[in-house]
Amino acid sequence: MMTHSSRPSTEAILTALPALAPYARDAVVLCPERGEPDPRNSSIGGPLLWPSDEPWPECSLPDVDSPDGAPATAMVPVAQIFRRDAPGPWWPADFDLLQILWCPNEHWDPPAQQADISPVVEMRWRRAAEVTSRLTTPPSPSRYDEDGYLPQACTFTARHLTDFPYREELPADLRPQLEELVRATGDGSDVITRVAGWKLGGWPTWHLTYPAVFACGDCGTDLTLLFTMASDAETGVVVGRSGDLRIFTCPADHRHPFQVDLH
């Protein structure tokens, strides 16, 4: 994850390049630390506040080690975030709990909204007060491909900041100015547009490929980044070649299909 202390303040960035202001986005970086989170706490890889009368998500899709027709396997918790710990524009009205799970197996030919050669992701928005009876013993997965798909239970510290886009997502006339600002800051690495790690909101990083644009399958609106699940030692997560798995959602309606991308 990037070294936050080497990043200039938002004010300093915008003073140096005022034309970046329209592209600023709120973000919250989640700095994980191994712990024993409670189901009513935000966490990475911790227990979820899951209703006892709601079926636990399972994955019946074929994966790299199990062909068509293999028994379904339980998904595992990846993140649980309460609105109070990470407020921002990504929250739908009246919801205060986000839960993300995935199938801890690689899928070579998943549904179009999922990423190839990655875990299949499931997501829930909730109102925490409505969970009056909690599932205390969720099922464990019957199989998993890699230990890196079994996140270790972590609490986290939420770091609020302003995120800016990768240069190729900016108008052509701004790109040289941004490149110059990047060269003039930090320790030689890009600390302006490479806000990496576990992250809510903000902009995706595109250091490996040209930026992709995902359109909502229901309304055609460009999807925006909701959440980044990052490979790191603290959570024990490894996706791709120590990369990121990102969830993009429709800013017009949270009920529209999301898109998962591996980078």
Side-chain angles (χ1 to χ4, degrees):
M1 192 167 71
M2 63 167 280
T3 303
H4 296 277
S5 60
S6 64
R7 190 176 197 250
S9 68
T10 300
E11 292 75 14
I13 293 171
L14 293 179
T15 297
L17 187 51
L20 274 181
Y23 304 96
R25 286 184 183 174
D26 291 334
V28 176
V29 175
L30 313 180
C31 304
E33 183 178 350
R34 295 281 178 92
E36 297 181 2
D38 181 91
R40 293 192 176 275
N41 296 142
S42 295
S43 65
I44 295 172
L48 304 184
L49 184 64
W50 196 270
S52 59
D53 59 353
E54 181 177 324
W56 187 263
E58 294 183 331
C59 181
S60 58
L61 297 171
D63 54 62
V64 295
D65 294 320
S66 302
D68 287 317
T73 184
M75 292 189 165
V76 299
V78 176
Q80 172 168 274
I81 304 168
F82 286 87
R83 187 173 192 153
R84 63 178 182 261
D85 298 321
W90 40 81
W91 289 98
D94 301 327
F95 287 90
D96 61 357
L97 178 58
L98 171 63
Q99 295 172 324
I100 298 171
L101 308 90
W102 67 28
C103 171
N105 297 282
E106 288 185 347
H107 299 77
W108 288 87
D109 190 23
Q113 76 182 83
Q114 302 285 346
D116 291 337
I117 321 175
S118 302
V120 166
V121 173
E122 187 78 14
M123 188 170 67
R124 295 284 193 280
W125 295 103
R126 295 195 189 280
R127 300 175 182 89
E130 294 179 354
V131 185
T132 56
S133 177
R134 183 179 66 84
L135 179 66
T136 56
T137 310
S140 298
S142 57
R143 62 182 183 275
Y144 59 92
D145 284 342
E146 306 284 350
D147 289 339
Y149 297 152
L150 301 176
Q152 299 298 304
C154 292
T155 59
F156 61 76
T157 300
R159 191 187 302 266
H160 294 254
L161 49 76
T162 301
D163 204 2
F164 296 99
Y166 182 65
R167 63 180 180 274
E168 298 298 334
E169 296 199 79
L170 292 170
D173 61 328
L174 279 182
R175 296 174 192 174
Q177 299 173 63
L178 177 59
E179 289 185 64
E180 178 59 33
L181 178 60
V182 166
R183 283 195 294 267
T185 57
D187 55 3
S189 59
D190 183 352
V191 297
I192 306 297
T193 74
R194 287 288 308 279
V195 177
W198 293 77
K199 183 172 71 173
L200 258 174
W203 289 88
T205 61
W206 296 107
H207 52 286
L208 298 177
T209 65
Y210 195 82
V213 178
F214 303 110
C216 176
D218 281 8
C219 68
T221 302
D222 286 351
L223 304 184
T224 55
L225 180 65
L226 171 70
F227 194 62
T228 301
M229 298 161 281
S231 300
D232 70 9
E234 199 68 25
T235 63
V237 167
V238 182
V239 290
R241 296 181 177 179
S242 296
D244 298 334
L245 199 64
R246 295 95 68 90
I247 301 174
F248 293 79
T249 55
C250 179
D253 194 326
H254 73 279
R255 295 167 295 185
H256 290 175
F258 60 84
Q259 177 69 48
V260 183
D261 173 72
L262 174 64
H263 189 75

